[in-house]
Amino acid sequence: MASTVFVAISAQAQGNNNQCEDVSCAKSAALDKSKVRDDKVTKSEKMQALEVIKVKGLRLNPMSRSAQGSYTLDNELIKSYRFGNGNLNDILGILPGVQYGEGALSTELASNIKPSEVSLVGAQGHQSSYNIDGVNNNSRLSTGNGEADRNLLQDVSSHSQSTFVNLDLLDSIEVYDSNIPAKYGQFSGGLVNANTKNASDKPSYGISYRQTSTDLTEFHIIKSPSREGAREVITPTFDKHSVNLYFSTPITSDSGLVAQFQRLESSETLDQLGTAREQTQTNTNLLLKYHHNIDANNLLSVSGYYAPYEGQYFDVNARNSDYTIEGGGYSVSSTWQHDAIWGDLEVKLAANRSENSKRAPNYWLSWNNINGRTWGNYNNSIVSLEGGYGDIDKIQQTVTLTADANIYIESIFGTQGQLNVGVDVKQQRQEFNRLTDSVIYNGSQNESAINCGSYTFDCIETQLKRPLSELEAEFGRPLDSLGTPQEVAQEIVIIEQNIQQAGQFFTTRQLSSKSDVAVTVNNIALYSELLLEYRNVDITTGLRYDYNDFFKQHNIAPRLRVSWDIWGDGEHQLTSGLNRYYEANLVHYKLNQAMTPMHQELRHSYLNQPHAWRAALTSNGFLYRFDETKTPYSDEFSLAYRYQLWGGTLETKWLNRFNKQAINRQREYNEDAQAVLFGRNQGSSHYQRFSVAWMAKFDNQHVELNISKTSNTVDSKSFDNTIAYDSSTKRYSNTENYDDSDLVFFQYQERAFDPKTQSWELATRSRLISRHDLSLENQDYNRPYIVNASWGLTLEQWQFSAHARYVSEQEVVYATGVSQQAKFATSICSGCEVSGKKYPIYAKYDRPSYWTLDGSVKYAWQLAGEDRIEVSFEGENLLNRRNYRIGPLGNGSELGRSFWLGISYQH
């Protein structure tokens, strides 16, 4: 549907294609379309007097009209699809190919206020770039950990983004999945630019409140099909509310100020080993933004953004496991924009700081699940867990200076063009500080006659309900197991029932010493990009150069994109691109290299007394070395066709990403016989997506439809594969240097020949692997098919929106909550033998397809003057469908239908 817009152009011109947006409407304009791109005009046009004329055109829709593979969500779309917590990541799922981590489906989502990780172009969350008002918001402290586990040994559960910006603060969001300009770098996934709201031209203020709770939410209770796995499921109870205040005003005719405060709080009750306990989380956003128009050609803006996060947690499978995580941080920036006859210049200076800190007990004990330590019975585990992994502080500080210039070129061999050049200088400092020694106890050994002596923390003695002499006196004979078989069986039952606490002690432990490590990485980037426009073809060629003093690599990333208006009528457009993107300087590798490795200690008993702890012969954990590691990168080929259809844009896209030089870990030994994990670049993966999308925006409604078919394959060389297993002895080896917390059992099914039935059957297998390999086995962000349908409508005071999403079947890895024992091939100390250690089990199963429907209804009352009150009703998973977060043999609850209620006042 056509609408009227007004633009200012030169006296010689009669139309503006960029403002018109529909290229076909520019045919009546004397100004050639090639003279205007991305709101830029040529030098000669700037020198002409301006006049206002009227142009007819189509409203903008999210889909890019240039060769760039971008989608822009304006303020109207943000308001329409603000469901749930209203985090930035929550709205990205309406776009083609965007996938959420499987953690987004968990019951904890109802109460959790941390955004779910999002995959753009098949990449992990930390591999994409997130910017807020041009300032990078990525946390280089994170590699996506915390999706499966919050409670970590050598790390703090974190997120790919330093701070969690709320949609209430944003004016627009720009998302790139292909053909990304050279001015952007340090990512191998996609790019998200979030732009906060600017000051209004007249005073305005408002307050809004939203809330959800258990009373507004339904859960699916899933019972395990096995008698052993089934237990009572406690329905989660929670309360979550959000408040937002904003104030915006002009200060003078040339300056303005906007201030906004948003706070999201949540409390939840979880089942900890049969006891209902409460966890709390808070996230705050505070924005201050000032702008001043110095003159007609110069603009100065200053902004400050503060967003702390805190969570009070506990491990639901472990006693005495309370811990606190603090995160978030602040960012300040100043920007000078200069508009000249030759082009424009933007200079930005920014500084930000973020942290991930944890306070937790500094011991972790895996007791055998026997009398006196039987809380593991609750989840059918062979162990009873206790404790935490100690206090850790992680801090990231960044200072950035950027300068970006656009230079207008009037004529090169009959073409029009624009040159973009810039420089980006950054210094980033990161710290890892373990405040206390952390000790992991494993390999507990049952010993009924053990005398713990002074070792009362990691050893327990047998305690009887009644003295043995009393029982013997009662039965009139000694309980010496020398009677008849019937008498022996009776004696065993009597003795077992009389044990209040069975003796056991730990034979192995791992110590991670307190440490304080800091690294500083300097990075410089230079880039240049030339846009040439000839008739119906736009060609953009560019180059980006990055250097940082950690990898010490000179990374050169070429960029090329082409747009062809096939018939010159703006109806049919073909775009293509060949691009390279280098990953960010993941400084956590350097932190790992600088950290002191854990060391292992052992002991055995003699004459029923535990000996003192002493260092194992293979004592130390891994050293990390990334001295010769190259920067991972992604080579991209894209091809897209766009057609103006039914008042909107139809796009078909084929996107290929070949991810190369991915960092894998290779086990070797140095000259001191110390085990070393060398960072190699032998890993690779391939992402491919076919998508069809149609997006349209009319006077009072908008529609977005898309379907994507994706594949995301990881090469076998990306895996560690360092743990060996001897099937004849059923023993593992090559595990001595691993942290116990870094090893898990991976359980899967494969076809095997059964000699009894003489047929091929599905058999359950398990093997011990590293968590690094588990993340690759998980193949998260790999749903083969995803379909989205989004719609919004405004009718006077009413506003309606809906979003339906379908995701197809996929193999995923489930955390089972239980453990399995592993035995090892050799003794790792002289004169003693360590009993088997226990590790958690993760199982791979097919997760069925599912689909959800979200929607919202809003109604606004216009009060006196410019005051208004709006009420909102938002629903997620309105049809209350299962999401199959609980595995086939699992036991627990899944999130069903949920609602948010809101009210706001605006002036």
Side-chain angles (χ1 to χ4, degrees), residues 1-3 57-62 72-78 80 646-649 694-704 792:
M1 182 177 292
S3 61
L58 295 180
R59 287 181 178 269
L60 299 174
N61 68 52
T72 301
L73 306 177
D74 61 14
N75 190 253
E76 179 183 351
L77 293 176
I78 292 174
S80 295
W646 301 330
T649 304
W694 180 74
M695 300 183 182
K697 196 169 185 182
F698 306 101
D699 283 336
N700 64 341
Q701 63 179 317
H702 53 83
V703 182
E704 296 86 28

PDB file of all heavy atoms in Angstrom, residues 1-3 57-62 72-78 80 646-649 694-704 792:
ATOM      1  N   MET A   1       0.843  -1.176   0.000  1.00  0.00           N
ATOM      2  CA  MET A   1       0.000   0.000   0.000  1.00  0.00           C
ATOM      3  C   MET A   1       0.882   1.230   0.000  1.00  0.00           C
ATOM      4  O   MET A   1       1.819   1.335   0.763  1.00  0.00           O
ATOM      5  CB  MET A   1      -0.915   0.010   1.234  1.00  0.00           C
ATOM      6  CG  MET A   1      -1.865   1.205   1.279  1.00  0.00           C
ATOM      7  SD  MET A   1      -2.965   1.100   2.701  1.00  0.00           S
ATOM      8  CE  MET A   1      -3.935  -0.303   2.235  1.00  0.00           C
ATOM      9  N   ALA A   2       0.564   2.198  -0.844  1.00  0.00           N
ATOM     10  CA  ALA A   2       1.376   3.401  -0.967  1.00  0.00           C
ATOM     11  C   ALA A   2       1.095   4.357   0.176  1.00  0.00           C
ATOM     12  O   ALA A   2       0.006   4.431   0.714  1.00  0.00           O
ATOM     13  CB  ALA A   2       1.109   4.079  -2.305  1.00  0.00           C
ATOM     14  N   SER A   3       2.100   5.126   0.526  1.00  0.00           N
ATOM     15  CA  SER A   3       1.944   6.151   1.549  1.00  0.00           C
ATOM     16  C   SER A   3       2.758   7.357   1.132  1.00  0.00           C
ATOM     17  O   SER A   3       3.614   7.290   0.260  1.00  0.00           O
ATOM     18  CB  SER A   3       2.413   5.635   2.908  1.00  0.00           C
ATOM     19  OG  SER A   3       3.758   5.292   2.828  1.00  0.00           O
ATOM     20  N   GLY A  57       5.488   6.353  -2.290  1.00  0.00           N
ATOM     21  CA  GLY A  57       6.310   5.158  -2.225  1.00  0.00           C
ATOM     22  C   GLY A  57       5.757   4.165  -1.228  1.00  0.00           C
ATOM     23  O   GLY A  57       4.769   4.436  -0.557  1.00  0.00           O
ATOM     24  N   LEU A  58       6.380   3.027  -1.145  1.00  0.00           N
ATOM     25  CA  LEU A  58       5.963   1.995  -0.210  1.00  0.00           C
ATOM     26  C   LEU A  58       6.646   2.196   1.136  1.00  0.00           C
ATOM     27  O   LEU A  58       7.768   2.672   1.212  1.00  0.00           O
ATOM     28  CB  LEU A  58       6.321   0.612  -0.757  1.00  0.00           C
ATOM     29  CG  LEU A  58       5.590   0.183  -2.029  1.00  0.00           C
ATOM     30  CD1 LEU A  58       6.060  -1.202  -2.419  1.00  0.00           C
ATOM     31  CD2 LEU A  58       4.086   0.199  -1.845  1.00  0.00           C
ATOM     32  N   ARG A  59       5.941   1.812   2.192  1.00  0.00           N
ATOM     33  CA  ARG A  59       6.540   1.876   3.511  1.00  0.00           C
ATOM     34  C   ARG A  59       7.715   0.899   3.607  1.00  0.00           C
ATOM     35  O   ARG A  59       7.724  -0.132   2.964  1.00  0.00           O
ATOM     36  CB  ARG A  59       5.507   1.538   4.581  1.00  0.00           C
ATOM     37  CG  ARG A  59       4.480   2.633   4.813  1.00  0.00           C
ATOM     38  CD  ARG A  59       3.514   2.220   5.901  1.00  0.00           C
ATOM     39  NE  ARG A  59       2.556   3.271   6.152  1.00  0.00           N
ATOM     40  CZ  ARG A  59       2.709   4.234   7.053  1.00  0.00           C
ATOM     41  NH1 ARG A  59       3.809   4.252   7.777  1.00  0.00           N
ATOM     42  NH2 ARG A  59       1.794   5.157   7.224  1.00  0.00           N
ATOM     43  N   LEU A  60       8.661   1.238   4.464  1.00  0.00           N
ATOM     44  CA  LEU A  60       9.816   0.379   4.655  1.00  0.00           C
ATOM     45  C   LEU A  60       9.387  -0.917   5.340  1.00  0.00           C
ATOM     46  O   LEU A  60       8.521  -0.923   6.199  1.00  0.00           O
ATOM     47  CB  LEU A  60      10.854   1.091   5.516  1.00  0.00           C
ATOM     48  CG  LEU A  60      11.430   2.400   4.963  1.00  0.00           C
ATOM     49  CD1 LEU A  60      12.328   3.036   5.996  1.00  0.00           C
ATOM     50  CD2 LEU A  60      12.192   2.166   3.684  1.00  0.00           C
ATOM     51  N   ASN A  61      10.000  -2.028   4.940  1.00  0.00           N
ATOM     52  CA  ASN A  61       9.823  -3.264   5.698  1.00  0.00           C
ATOM     53  C   ASN A  61      11.198  -3.695   6.187  1.00  0.00           C
ATOM     54  O   ASN A  61      12.215  -3.117   5.806  1.00  0.00           O
ATOM     55  CB  ASN A  61       9.109  -4.333   4.855  1.00  0.00           C
ATOM     56  CG  ASN A  61       9.954  -4.847   3.708  1.00  0.00           C
ATOM     57  OD1 ASN A  61      11.093  -5.263   3.905  1.00  0.00           O
ATOM     58  ND2 ASN A  61       9.406  -4.830   2.505  1.00  0.00           N
ATOM     59  N   PRO A  62      11.270  -4.707   7.059  1.00  0.00           N
ATOM     60  CA  PRO A  62      12.572  -5.028   7.679  1.00  0.00           C
ATOM     61  C   PRO A  62      13.654  -5.435   6.699  1.00  0.00           C
ATOM     62  O   PRO A  62      14.840  -5.315   7.010  1.00  0.00           O
ATOM     63  CB  PRO A  62      12.219  -6.203   8.609  1.00  0.00           C
ATOM     64  CG  PRO A  62      10.763  -6.038   8.892  1.00  0.00           C
ATOM     65  CD  PRO A  62      10.170  -5.485   7.638  1.00  0.00           C
ATOM     66  N   THR A  72      16.069  -4.760   9.419  1.00  0.00           N
ATOM     67  CA  THR A  72      15.936  -3.685  10.397  1.00  0.00           C
ATOM     68  C   THR A  72      14.580  -3.761  11.077  1.00  0.00           C
ATOM     69  O   THR A  72      13.537  -3.722  10.416  1.00  0.00           O
ATOM     70  CB  THR A  72      16.101  -2.308   9.734  1.00  0.00           C
ATOM     71  OG1 THR A  72      17.394  -2.243   9.107  1.00  0.00           O
ATOM     72  CG2 THR A  72      15.996  -1.202  10.771  1.00  0.00           C
ATOM     73  N   LEU A  73      14.605  -3.888  12.393  1.00  0.00           N
ATOM     74  CA  LEU A  73      13.385  -3.904  13.197  1.00  0.00           C
ATOM     75  C   LEU A  73      13.231  -2.527  13.822  1.00  0.00           C
ATOM     76  O   LEU A  73      14.048  -2.120  14.652  1.00  0.00           O
ATOM     77  CB  LEU A  73      13.479  -4.976  14.277  1.00  0.00           C
ATOM     78  CG  LEU A  73      13.805  -6.399  13.792  1.00  0.00           C
ATOM     79  CD1 LEU A  73      13.934  -7.344  14.975  1.00  0.00           C
ATOM     80  CD2 LEU A  73      12.751  -6.889  12.824  1.00  0.00           C
ATOM     81  N   ASP A  74      12.197  -1.781  13.404  1.00  0.00           N
ATOM     82  CA  ASP A  74      11.997  -0.433  13.934  1.00  0.00           C
ATOM     83  C   ASP A  74      11.224  -0.496  15.248  1.00  0.00           C
ATOM     84  O   ASP A  74      10.884  -1.570  15.759  1.00  0.00           O
ATOM     85  CB  ASP A  74      11.298   0.460  12.916  1.00  0.00           C
ATOM     86  CG  ASP A  74       9.906  -0.062  12.532  1.00  0.00           C
ATOM     87  OD1 ASP A  74       9.378  -0.951  13.245  1.00  0.00           O
ATOM     88  OD2 ASP A  74       9.357   0.408  11.513  1.00  0.00           O
ATOM     89  N   ASN A  75      10.939   0.679  15.784  1.00  0.00           N
ATOM     90  CA  ASN A  75      10.306   0.753  17.096  1.00  0.00           C
ATOM     91  C   ASN A  75       8.927   0.102  17.104  1.00  0.00           C
ATOM     92  O   ASN A  75       8.520  -0.515  18.097  1.00  0.00           O
ATOM     93  CB  ASN A  75      10.206   2.220  17.535  1.00  0.00           C
ATOM     94  CG  ASN A  75       9.796   2.356  18.979  1.00  0.00           C
ATOM     95  OD1 ASN A  75       8.675   2.727  19.289  1.00  0.00           O
ATOM     96  ND2 ASN A  75      10.719   2.045  19.888  1.00  0.00           N
ATOM     97  N   GLU A  76       8.211   0.194  15.994  1.00  0.00           N
ATOM     98  CA  GLU A  76       6.890  -0.424  15.918  1.00  0.00           C
ATOM     99  C   GLU A  76       6.975  -1.938  16.014  1.00  0.00           C
ATOM    100  O   GLU A  76       6.199  -2.590  16.735  1.00  0.00           O
ATOM    101  CB  GLU A  76       6.200  -0.018  14.611  1.00  0.00           C
ATOM    102  CG  GLU A  76       4.818  -0.633  14.438  1.00  0.00           C
ATOM    103  CD  GLU A  76       4.186  -0.267  13.111  1.00  0.00           C
ATOM    104  OE1 GLU A  76       4.744   0.600  12.396  1.00  0.00           O
ATOM    105  OE2 GLU A  76       3.137  -0.851  12.775  1.00  0.00           O
ATOM    106  N   LEU A  77       7.928  -2.533  15.298  1.00  0.00           N
ATOM    107  CA  LEU A  77       8.094  -3.985  15.354  1.00  0.00           C
ATOM    108  C   LEU A  77       8.597  -4.431  16.726  1.00  0.00           C
ATOM    109  O   LEU A  77       8.202  -5.491  17.222  1.00  0.00           O
ATOM    110  CB  LEU A  77       9.052  -4.444  14.261  1.00  0.00           C
ATOM    111  CG  LEU A  77       8.577  -4.285  12.824  1.00  0.00           C
ATOM    112  CD1 LEU A  77       9.671  -4.704  11.852  1.00  0.00           C
ATOM    113  CD2 LEU A  77       7.320  -5.106  12.577  1.00  0.00           C
ATOM    114  N   ILE A  78       9.470  -3.649  17.324  1.00  0.00           N
ATOM    115  CA  ILE A  78       9.969  -3.987  18.648  1.00  0.00           C
ATOM    116  C   ILE A  78       8.825  -4.047  19.656  1.00  0.00           C
ATOM    117  O   ILE A  78       8.732  -4.969  20.473  1.00  0.00           O
ATOM    118  CB  ILE A  78      11.044  -2.977  19.095  1.00  0.00           C
ATOM    119  CG1 ILE A  78      12.300  -3.124  18.228  1.00  0.00           C
ATOM    120  CG2 ILE A  78      11.399  -3.171  20.559  1.00  0.00           C
ATOM    121  CD1 ILE A  78      13.352  -2.078  18.502  1.00  0.00           C
ATOM    122  N   SER A  80       5.695  -4.611  18.946  1.00  0.00           N
ATOM    123  CA  SER A  80       4.771  -5.681  18.591  1.00  0.00           C
ATOM    124  C   SER A  80       5.229  -7.028  19.113  1.00  0.00           C
ATOM    125  O   SER A  80       4.413  -7.851  19.541  1.00  0.00           O
ATOM    126  CB  SER A  80       4.605  -5.751  17.068  1.00  0.00           C
ATOM    127  OG  SER A  80       3.999  -4.584  16.561  1.00  0.00           O
ATOM    128  N   TRP A 646       3.024  -8.100  -3.905  1.00  0.00           N
ATOM    129  CA  TRP A 646       1.873  -7.818  -3.041  1.00  0.00           C
ATOM    130  C   TRP A 646       2.172  -6.738  -2.001  1.00  0.00           C
ATOM    131  O   TRP A 646       1.778  -6.832  -0.848  1.00  0.00           O
ATOM    132  CB  TRP A 646       1.404  -9.092  -2.333  1.00  0.00           C
ATOM    133  CG  TRP A 646       1.002 -10.179  -3.279  1.00  0.00           C
ATOM    134  CD1 TRP A 646       0.480 -10.062  -4.530  1.00  0.00           C
ATOM    135  CD2 TRP A 646       1.120 -11.584  -3.025  1.00  0.00           C
ATOM    136  NE1 TRP A 646       0.254 -11.287  -5.088  1.00  0.00           N
ATOM    137  CE2 TRP A 646       0.630 -12.251  -4.187  1.00  0.00           C
ATOM    138  CE3 TRP A 646       1.569 -12.367  -1.956  1.00  0.00           C
ATOM    139  CZ2 TRP A 646       0.598 -13.634  -4.295  1.00  0.00           C
ATOM    140  CZ3 TRP A 646       1.533 -13.735  -2.063  1.00  0.00           C
ATOM    141  CH2 TRP A 646       1.044 -14.360  -3.221  1.00  0.00           C
ATOM    142  N   GLY A 647       2.870  -5.719  -2.430  1.00  0.00           N
ATOM    143  CA  GLY A 647       3.154  -4.616  -1.529  1.00  0.00           C
ATOM    144  C   GLY A 647       4.287  -4.871  -0.564  1.00  0.00           C
ATOM    145  O   GLY A 647       4.569  -4.059   0.309  1.00  0.00           O
ATOM    146  N   GLY A 648       4.954  -6.016  -0.705  1.00  0.00           N
ATOM    147  CA  GLY A 648       6.080  -6.338   0.161  1.00  0.00           C
ATOM    148  C   GLY A 648       7.246  -6.855  -0.654  1.00  0.00           C
ATOM    149  O   GLY A 648       7.298  -6.693  -1.888  1.00  0.00           O
ATOM    150  N   THR A 649       8.200  -7.491   0.000  1.00  0.00           N
ATOM    151  CA  THR A 649       9.393  -8.016  -0.658  1.00  0.00           C
ATOM    152  C   THR A 649       9.496  -9.508  -0.405  1.00  0.00           C
ATOM    153  O   THR A 649       9.445  -9.952   0.746  1.00  0.00           O
ATOM    154  CB  THR A 649      10.659  -7.317  -0.145  1.00  0.00           C
ATOM    155  OG1 THR A 649      10.545  -5.903  -0.316  1.00  0.00           O
ATOM    156  CG2 THR A 649      11.887  -7.818  -0.886  1.00  0.00           C
ATOM    157  N   TRP A 694       9.013 -13.472   3.053  1.00  0.00           N
ATOM    158  CA  TRP A 694       8.201 -12.374   2.501  1.00  0.00           C
ATOM    159  C   TRP A 694       7.842 -11.440   3.641  1.00  0.00           C
ATOM    160  O   TRP A 694       7.330 -11.870   4.678  1.00  0.00           O
ATOM    161  CB  TRP A 694       6.933 -12.896   1.839  1.00  0.00           C
ATOM    162  CG  TRP A 694       6.072 -11.797   1.252  1.00  0.00           C
ATOM    163  CD1 TRP A 694       6.318 -11.075   0.121  1.00  0.00           C
ATOM    164  CD2 TRP A 694       4.847 -11.301   1.790  1.00  0.00           C
ATOM    165  NE1 TRP A 694       5.311 -10.153  -0.091  1.00  0.00           N
ATOM    166  CE2 TRP A 694       4.394 -10.269   0.917  1.00  0.00           C
ATOM    167  CE3 TRP A 694       4.074 -11.618   2.906  1.00  0.00           C
ATOM    168  CZ2 TRP A 694       3.214  -9.571   1.136  1.00  0.00           C
ATOM    169  CZ3 TRP A 694       2.892 -10.917   3.137  1.00  0.00           C
ATOM    170  CH2 TRP A 694       2.472  -9.908   2.248  1.00  0.00           C
ATOM    171  N   MET A 695       8.169 -10.168   3.463  1.00  0.00           N
ATOM    172  CA  MET A 695       7.908  -9.168   4.496  1.00  0.00           C
ATOM    173  C   MET A 695       7.246  -7.959   3.857  1.00  0.00           C
ATOM    174  O   MET A 695       7.646  -7.505   2.781  1.00  0.00           O
ATOM    175  CB  MET A 695       9.210  -8.751   5.193  1.00  0.00           C
ATOM    176  CG  MET A 695       9.943  -9.889   5.867  1.00  0.00           C
ATOM    177  SD  MET A 695      11.435  -9.350   6.751  1.00  0.00           S
ATOM    178  CE  MET A 695      12.048 -10.922   7.357  1.00  0.00           C
ATOM    179  N   ALA A 696       6.220  -7.451   4.536  1.00  0.00           N
ATOM    180  CA  ALA A 696       5.493  -6.285   4.020  1.00  0.00           C
ATOM    181  C   ALA A 696       5.024  -5.429   5.185  1.00  0.00           C
ATOM    182  O   ALA A 696       4.707  -5.948   6.263  1.00  0.00           O
ATOM    183  CB  ALA A 696       4.304  -6.729   3.184  1.00  0.00           C
ATOM    184  N   LYS A 697       4.978  -4.130   4.942  1.00  0.00           N
ATOM    185  CA  LYS A 697       4.504  -3.192   5.950  1.00  0.00           C
ATOM    186  C   LYS A 697       3.535  -2.228   5.291  1.00  0.00           C
ATOM    187  O   LYS A 697       3.869  -1.558   4.307  1.00  0.00           O
ATOM    188  CB  LYS A 697       5.694  -2.438   6.555  1.00  0.00           C
ATOM    189  CG  LYS A 697       5.364  -1.734   7.859  1.00  0.00           C
ATOM    190  CD  LYS A 697       6.629  -1.239   8.527  1.00  0.00           C
ATOM    191  CE  LYS A 697       6.305  -0.655   9.887  1.00  0.00           C
ATOM    192  NZ  LYS A 697       7.521  -0.118  10.544  1.00  0.00           N
ATOM    193  N   PHE A 698       2.323  -2.167   5.834  1.00  0.00           N
ATOM    194  CA  PHE A 698       1.273  -1.332   5.269  1.00  0.00           C
ATOM    195  C   PHE A 698       0.929  -0.207   6.247  1.00  0.00           C
ATOM    196  O   PHE A 698       1.641  -0.004   7.234  1.00  0.00           O
ATOM    197  CB  PHE A 698       0.049  -2.190   4.953  1.00  0.00           C
ATOM    198  CG  PHE A 698       0.368  -3.374   4.080  1.00  0.00           C
ATOM    199  CD1 PHE A 698       0.500  -4.639   4.621  1.00  0.00           C
ATOM    200  CD2 PHE A 698       0.568  -3.221   2.711  1.00  0.00           C
ATOM    201  CE1 PHE A 698       0.799  -5.737   3.833  1.00  0.00           C
ATOM    202  CE2 PHE A 698       0.881  -4.309   1.909  1.00  0.00           C
ATOM    203  CZ  PHE A 698       0.994  -5.566   2.470  1.00  0.00           C
ATOM    204  N   ASP A 699      -0.170   0.502   5.971  1.00  0.00           N
ATOM    205  CA  ASP A 699      -0.511   1.650   6.805  1.00  0.00           C
ATOM    206  C   ASP A 699      -0.721   1.272   8.272  1.00  0.00           C
ATOM    207  O   ASP A 699      -0.259   1.951   9.175  1.00  0.00           O
ATOM    208  CB  ASP A 699      -1.776   2.329   6.284  1.00  0.00           C
ATOM    209  CG  ASP A 699      -1.476   3.175   5.048  1.00  0.00           C
ATOM    210  OD1 ASP A 699      -0.312   3.583   4.884  1.00  0.00           O
ATOM    211  OD2 ASP A 699      -2.403   3.412   4.258  1.00  0.00           O
ATOM    212  N   ASN A 700      -1.432   0.183   8.517  1.00  0.00           N
ATOM    213  CA  ASN A 700      -1.751  -0.158   9.896  1.00  0.00           C
ATOM    214  C   ASN A 700      -1.438  -1.604  10.262  1.00  0.00           C
ATOM    215  O   ASN A 700      -1.868  -2.099  11.298  1.00  0.00           O
ATOM    216  CB  ASN A 700      -3.234   0.122  10.180  1.00  0.00           C
ATOM    217  CG  ASN A 700      -4.141  -0.773   9.344  1.00  0.00           C
ATOM    218  OD1 ASN A 700      -3.717  -1.327   8.331  1.00  0.00           O
ATOM    219  ND2 ASN A 700      -5.383  -0.905   9.769  1.00  0.00           N
ATOM    220  N   GLN A 701      -0.686  -2.305   9.407  1.00  0.00           N
ATOM    221  CA  GLN A 701      -0.325  -3.673   9.742  1.00  0.00           C
ATOM    222  C   GLN A 701       0.974  -4.066   9.038  1.00  0.00           C
ATOM    223  O   GLN A 701       1.421  -3.399   8.099  1.00  0.00           O
ATOM    224  CB  GLN A 701      -1.442  -4.641   9.391  1.00  0.00           C
ATOM    225  CG  GLN A 701      -1.785  -4.730   7.919  1.00  0.00           C
ATOM    226  CD  GLN A 701      -2.885  -5.741   7.665  1.00  0.00           C
ATOM    227  OE1 GLN A 701      -2.873  -6.833   8.242  1.00  0.00           O
ATOM    228  NE2 GLN A 701      -3.847  -5.380   6.832  1.00  0.00           N
ATOM    229  N   HIS A 702       1.553  -5.165   9.513  1.00  0.00           N
ATOM    230  CA  HIS A 702       2.782  -5.676   8.922  1.00  0.00           C
ATOM    231  C   HIS A 702       2.759  -7.195   9.003  1.00  0.00           C
ATOM    232  O   HIS A 702       2.108  -7.790   9.881  1.00  0.00           O
ATOM    233  CB  HIS A 702       4.016  -5.119   9.639  1.00  0.00           C
ATOM    234  CG  HIS A 702       4.001  -5.310  11.128  1.00  0.00           C
ATOM    235  ND1 HIS A 702       4.392  -6.492  11.732  1.00  0.00           N
ATOM    236  CD2 HIS A 702       3.619  -4.499  12.140  1.00  0.00           C
ATOM    237  CE1 HIS A 702       4.273  -6.382  13.034  1.00  0.00           C
ATOM    238  NE2 HIS A 702       3.802  -5.184  13.326  1.00  0.00           N
ATOM    239  N   VAL A 703       3.477  -7.834   8.080  1.00  0.00           N
ATOM    240  CA  VAL A 703       3.516  -9.289   7.998  1.00  0.00           C
ATOM    241  C   VAL A 703       4.960  -9.714   7.712  1.00  0.00           C
ATOM    242  O   VAL A 703       5.633  -9.106   6.877  1.00  0.00           O
ATOM    243  CB  VAL A 703       2.595  -9.832   6.885  1.00  0.00           C
ATOM    244  CG1 VAL A 703       2.634 -11.356   6.860  1.00  0.00           C
ATOM    245  CG2 VAL A 703       1.170  -9.337   7.078  1.00  0.00           C
ATOM    246  N   GLU A 704       5.421 -10.778   8.416  1.00  0.00           N
ATOM    247  CA  GLU A 704       6.732 -11.375   8.153  1.00  0.00           C
ATOM    248  C   GLU A 704       6.556 -12.890   8.122  1.00  0.00           C
ATOM    249  O   GLU A 704       6.112 -13.476   9.112  1.00  0.00           O
ATOM    250  CB  GLU A 704       7.750 -11.008   9.238  1.00  0.00           C
ATOM    251  CG  GLU A 704       8.086  -9.523   9.325  1.00  0.00           C
ATOM    252  CD  GLU A 704       7.112  -8.771  10.193  1.00  0.00           C
ATOM    253  OE1 GLU A 704       6.538  -9.382  11.112  1.00  0.00           O
ATOM    254  OE2 GLU A 704       6.887  -7.569   9.936  1.00  0.00           O
ATOM    255  N   GLY A 792       1.155  -8.104  12.749  1.00  0.00           N
ATOM    256  CA  GLY A 792       0.761  -7.053  13.671  1.00  0.00           C
ATOM    257  C   GLY A 792      -0.271  -6.142  13.040  1.00  0.00           C
ATOM    258  O   GLY A 792      -0.228  -5.877  11.826  1.00  0.00           O
TER     259      GLY A 792
END
